[in-house]
Amino acid sequence: MIPDKAPKEDVFHGSEELKKEAHIPSFEKYKELYLKSIEHPDEFWGDIAKDFFWKTKHAGRFLDYNFDVTKGEIFVKCMEGASTNICYNVLDRNVHERKLGDKVAFYWEGNEPGDELTVTYRELLQRVCQFANVLKSQGVKKGDRVSIYMPMVVELVVAMLACVRIGAVHSIVFAGFSAESLCERILDSQCSLLVTADGFYRGDKLINLKLLADEALQKCRDKGFSIQRCIMLKHLSKEAGDAPLGSQSPPAKRPCPDLQVPWNPEVDLCWHTLVRGASDECEPEWCESEDPLFILYTSGSTGKPKGVLHTLSGYMLYTAVTFKLVFDYQPGDVYWCTADIGWITGHSYITYGPLANGATSVLFEGLPTYPDVSRMWEIVDKYQVTKFYTAPTAIRLLMKYGREPVQKYKRDSLKVLGTVGEPINPEAWQWYYSVVGEKRCPIVDTFWQTETGGHVLTPLPAATPMKPGSATFPFFGVVPAILNESGEELEGASEGYLVFKQPWPGVMRTVYGNQQRFETTYFKKFPGYYVTGDGCRRDKDGYYWITGRIDDMLNVSGHLLSTAEVESALAEHEAVAEAAVVGRPHPVKGESLYCFVTLTDGVTYSRTLEAELKKQVREKIGAIATPDFIQNAPGLPKTRSGKIMRRVLRKIACDERDLGDISTLADSSVVEHLFQNRCCVGV
């Protein structure tokens, strides 16, 4: 499974300086610890658990589970008998035992340059205790679900940690989602209270969040479910008397004359008024290991989102240790993950993982291109960021503008770069490595899912030589396999379905309120395995390469083709900034390849370029992968988190105007433009 020796060819290594201080300094050490995590898991995880506070200790096996639907109900149980509180572990323990009270927990950087805030661990603990007391005063108790619909402000972290301090279950909904999406999630998890904000700016765009929240609550009432209380933070409409959260708390720099905040005195409560009278001491609620921690919704193949449920102890341990080892966290680091807390990346690697390690993080409200395309590198220099974690989408977006906006800033503090969210194409990897990291920062290209809780396939900065675009090797405790269509395990270099043979502490426990959907989605196809839904290739050196969602595989003349592979081949051309590939029914081949390409600034689309692109794909993959249609796409339909909506592209390719729900699109105008400029495909 893991090769005896690290391969020497076609690989990139981290700096010698990094290897001297790394937690895992060599491939040999990685392999030794990996084997221990598989062969002696109780001892391996038991050692990690010693770094945390337990009100009561666990008894028996560290992990108990069943992954085989033919043998009964699927379950995973971690550290049964133990009790703890994750808020106590990430805040109280750091302030009182580790003496980190004056250490910065978050540098908050607002949408507008100069709108900033510094919050220490002691200040964060005080604010969390205050808001926990507010929640209790509103009748929230252990096990209740609380919906949080907020922008990227420190109060979002306060709200989620206040929930877990009193044993309540948070359900965070990305602030870019529609009222309908919020309503759907509130109804599914039967939330007792909503926490939101008046509004926020995303770049130049003003979002009236309270208006959307009220619309969602009305939709809930129309469907027979009423939330009695909504707590609203005044983010854009702060007043002089509102208590500052951190060391500095300037008002939003941009005036908001158009922000009309609706107010229903029977339901709405002001965050600032409630907090003003609340005590900053609150005893934590001690919870069992397998008590629910949070619900986070992820898209399902049926279109109805799945409420992924994570529980306490296993998730806490797994996010803490993956953060520490994958980013090689050292006490002096300043870490920045550019994700939104509304996604699993923000849960695991902005809130829980970094705070569990006593880390200092940057929390960013804005966009990578606002007010200009150098914003990210300006922030890196401003806070002397050492560990940087972003999405391939952002990298490809910034590649369009070339090296100059990056090289305006030094970035000499950077030590490790990371990617998350989708497989990164080798060209974007090389740009990130060479231009952003100046060939001295290892890249940790992490593969994981909302369901996995944390990284499952990933490089380790000093231990595993990198291959551009590869998720490399499994993390500790993770046992991957590649299966064929018949469910047989493939050995050596092979390609097929990526599955996992046993659980790790941070894996999801169920789909909230729907155990049957949990078992059908992840365990029914191949009994005995957790099925990721992703295709994967393992090369001759044992490296794992994610080839894309199985439903993003195309069957062309009997050959399975990965859309990600074709996209990568197109994006390697210097004229292409981004590519998206979908299938279109073909009367002879079954499916044909319909490609959308966004060109780099200054490049004009032409028949000559189209021929070059087809030739490039032919040469990279083979004649079978030659695109049938290539459409110039100045913009692609993306969600507000930056993911391409391939479902919409498939409709455009087939000239089908029934698009379904496109409320999560960041810019719906691109859809009509793409329809008007479709390739003439005949049949």
Side-chain angles (χ1 to χ4, degrees):
M1 186 192 322
I2 306 294
D4 290 330
K5 290 184 179 178
K8 293 286 187 277
E9 59 197 80
D10 303 325
V11 295
F12 292 73
H13 298 263
S15 69
E16 290 306 313
E17 180 190 353
L18 185 84
K19 291 182 180 184
K20 285 176 189 170
E21 64 176 22
H23 295 296
I24 302 175
S26 67
F27 184 79
E28 290 69 31
K29 185 64 176 175
Y30 159 71
K31 184 162 186 182
E32 175 194 324
L33 286 173
Y34 179 77
L35 292 174
K36 180 181 177 181
S37 75
I38 303 306
E39 295 166 3
H40 306 287
D42 288 32
E43 183 184 341
F44 179 87
W45 294 108
D47 287 345
I48 291 164
K50 289 173 186 172
D51 286 339
F52 295 86
F53 175 81
W54 307 96
K55 190 70 172 174
T56 59
K57 308 288 186 191
H58 85 283
R61 294 177 63 188
F62 182 84
L63 269 173
D64 193 17
Y65 72 99
N66 172 43
F67 267 15
D68 191 338
V69 287
T70 66
K71 294 179 179 175
E73 185 172 285
I74 300 297
F75 71 89
V76 177
K77 292 176 181 175
C78 179
M79 298 186 72
E80 276 202 294
S83 62
T84 191
N85 182 286
I86 196 167
C87 180
Y88 182 90
N89 273 288
V90 304
L91 293 184
D92 304 63
R93 188 177 59 102
N94 282 323
V95 171
H96 301 305
E97 292 174 31
R98 301 175 69 193
K99 309 301 181 190
L100 299 177
D102 295 329
K103 185 174 182 179
V104 173
F106 289 106
Y107 291 115
W108 179 75
E109 176 82 10
N111 183 65
E112 295 294 319
D115 200 1
E116 60 195 45
L117 177 71
T118 301
V119 183
T120 66
Y121 272 87
R122 182 175 290 107
E123 289 166 337
L124 189 57
L125 173 59
Q126 290 168 344
R127 297 300 181 257
V128 166
C129 286
Q130 284 181 315
F131 198 67
N133 285 323
V134 166
L135 292 176
K136 289 204 287 189
S137 75
Q138 298 304 316
V140 178
K141 56 190 185 302
K142 182 179 178 181
D144 287 352
R145 276 79 57 213
V146 173
S147 182
I148 302 175
Y149 185 54
M150 297 179 81
M152 283 286 283
V153 290
V154 178
E155 288 88 350
L156 170 50
V157 177
V158 169
M160 64 197 295
L161 291 178
C163 287
V164 301
R165 191 168 190 86
I166 65 173
V169 180
H170 60 74
S171 171
I172 298 177
V173 180
F174 172 53
F177 276 158
S178 65
E180 181 61 45
S181 297
L182 176 59
C183 165
E184 188 174 40
R185 287 154 174 77
I186 289 171
L187 289 174
D188 188 75
S189 53
Q190 298 284 288
C191 292
S192 62
L193 183 141
L194 173 64
V195 185
T196 190
D198 49 4
F200 65 102
Y201 276 99
R202 192 155 176 81
D204 277 320
K205 189 176 181 183
L206 174 62
I207 312 291
N208 189 325
L209 205 59
K210 182 60 165 58
L211 199 65
L212 293 166
D214 281 9
E215 189 184 330
L217 294 185
Q218 184 57 52
K219 287 175 182 287
C220 289
R221 285 191 285 273
D222 293 345
K223 294 177 181 180
F225 182 77
S226 291
I227 278 193
Q228 302 304 316
R229 290 284 178 265
C230 173
I231 298 174
M232 188 198 81
L233 172 80
K234 288 189 281 186
H235 176 48
L236 293 184
S237 54
K238 283 178 185 161
E239 296 168 9
D242 295 334
L245 189 146
S247 306
Q248 315 132 45
S249 188
K253 291 284 187 284
R254 181 191 291 259
C256 311
D258 302 328
L259 187 67
Q260 300 294 315
V261 181
W263 195 260
N264 178 354
E266 294 183 7
V267 175
D268 295 335
L269 298 161
C270 173
W271 173 296
H272 307 271
T273 304
L274 293 169
V275 164
R276 211 171 287 144
S279 166
D280 62 6
E281 291 186 6
C282 177
E283 277 298 303
E285 180 77 33
W286 303 109
C287 302
E288 298 297 315
S289 262
E290 285 300 320
D291 281 349
L293 176 63
F294 66 82
I295 300 162
L296 184 57
Y297 287 84
T298 185
S299 56
S301 55
T302 61
K304 179 178 164 54
K306 305 185 290 280
V308 170
L309 180 75
H310 283 285
T311 55
L312 193 69
S313 297
Y315 177 84
M316 177 176 73
L317 293 182
Y318 200 70
T319 53
V321 74
T322 47
F323 173 79
K324 179 180 178 179
L325 300 181
V326 173
F327 298 108
D328 196 54
Y329 169 72
Q330 305 290 341
D333 280 333
V334 176
Y335 162 81
W336 181 18
C337 169
T338 67
D340 194 286
I341 290 176
W343 310 112
I344 189 65
T345 305
H347 282 56
S348 298
Y349 299 117
I350 293 178
T351 301
Y352 291 112
L355 292 177
N357 283 276
T360 294
S361 296
V362 175
L363 186 66
F364 180 46
E365 182 189 27
L367 294 171
T369 54
Y370 179 83
D372 60 57
V373 296
S374 291
R375 183 73 186 277
M376 286 170 118
W377 321 120
E378 179 202 346
I379 293 170
V380 166
D381 278 8
K382 177 178 178 178
Y383 297 109
Q384 290 295 287
V385 171
T386 54
K387 310 291 166 73
F388 180 70
Y389 196 33
T390 195
T393 299
I395 297 164
R396 288 194 295 267
L397 171 67
L398 296 173
M399 277 175 70
K400 281 176 64 173
Y401 301 99
R403 294 168 174 249
E404 194 271 333
V406 184
Q407 292 171 342
K408 272 172 64 178
Y409 293 90
K410 291 181 180 177
R411 296 158 286 109
D412 53 4
S413 58
L414 289 171
K415 293 182 178 179
V416 174
L417 304 174
T419 64
V420 59
E422 59 186 299
I424 184 170
N425 53 300
E427 191 202 23
W429 192 102
Q430 292 279 8
W431 189 86
Y432 195 31
Y433 180 71
S434 303
V435 178
V436 177
E438 296 179 331
K439 298 187 177 180
R440 56 183 173 75
C441 301
I443 293 177
V444 287
D445 175 9
T446 60
F447 170 76
W448 59 299
Q449 304 170 313
T450 304
E451 296 89 339
T452 70
H455 308 137
V456 284
L457 298 176
T458 177
L460 296 175
T464 47
M466 303 170 287
K467 293 191 180 188
S470 169
T472 314
F473 299 123
F475 191 74
F476 303 113
V478 176
V479 185
I482 295 178
L483 306 184
N484 63 17
E485 192 66 55
S486 305
E488 298 162 331
E489 283 193 33
L490 303 173
E491 300 297 329
S494 50
E495 186 166 350
Y497 293 87
L498 176 64
V499 299
F500 295 111
K501 300 170 74 168
Q502 65 184 46
W504 51 94
V507 72
M508 72 182 289
R509 299 305 196 253
T510 190
V511 170
Y512 183 77
N514 197 337
Q515 175 72 10
Q516 185 175 353
R517 188 178 185 191
F518 172 58
E519 296 189 1
T520 300
T521 304
Y522 303 103
F523 298 94
K524 191 175 180 182
K525 185 174 180 67
F526 299 120
Y529 301 94
Y530 166 87
V531 181
T532 64
D534 282 286
C536 185
R537 175 172 64 85
R538 185 171 50 223
D539 69 18
K540 63 181 176 58
D541 296 319
Y543 281 62
Y544 289 85
W545 303 72
I546 304 302
T547 55
R549 299 295 295 173
I550 294 298
D551 53 12
D552 286 341
M553 303 289 278
L554 303 180
N555 193 325
V556 178
S557 301
H559 295 267
L560 274 183
L561 289 175
S562 158
T563 56
E565 199 174 4
V566 180
E567 288 165 3
S568 180
L570 288 165
E572 283 183 33
H573 193 286
E574 62 183 8
V576 176
E578 191 164 30
V581 176
V582 296
R584 188 180 182 281
H586 188 279
V588 178
K589 296 192 291 185
E591 284 184 294
S592 58
L593 285 159
Y594 194 111
C595 309
F596 297 84
V597 293
T598 302
L599 304 182
T600 50
D601 279 4
V603 176
T604 305
Y605 192 82
S606 65
R607 293 295 168 207
T608 305
L609 175 60
E610 183 174 309
E612 282 180 24
L613 294 174
K614 289 184 177 183
K615 179 172 180 279
Q616 175 141 323
V617 174
R618 257 198 317 275
E619 288 175 354
K620 290 282 178 185
I621 304 172
I624 193 69
T626 306
D628 297 85
F629 309 102
I630 301 178
Q631 179 175 342
N632 182 23
L636 290 169
K638 294 181 181 180
T639 65
R640 291 173 181 85
S641 68
K643 289 201 172 178
I644 297 168
M645 292 184 75
R646 285 173 173 77
R647 171 178 65 81
V648 172
L649 291 179
R650 279 191 279 271
K651 294 280 190 179
I652 294 166
C654 297
D655 202 19
E656 294 173 5
R657 293 273 176 167
D658 177 20
L659 298 176
D661 178 21
I662 56 170
S663 61
T664 58
L665 267 180
D667 180 6
S668 56
S669 65
V670 303
V671 174
E672 185 54 37
H673 185 275
L674 291 173
F675 267 115
Q676 289 174 3
N677 292 278
R678 287 177 68 253
C679 300
C680 298
V681 296
V683 293

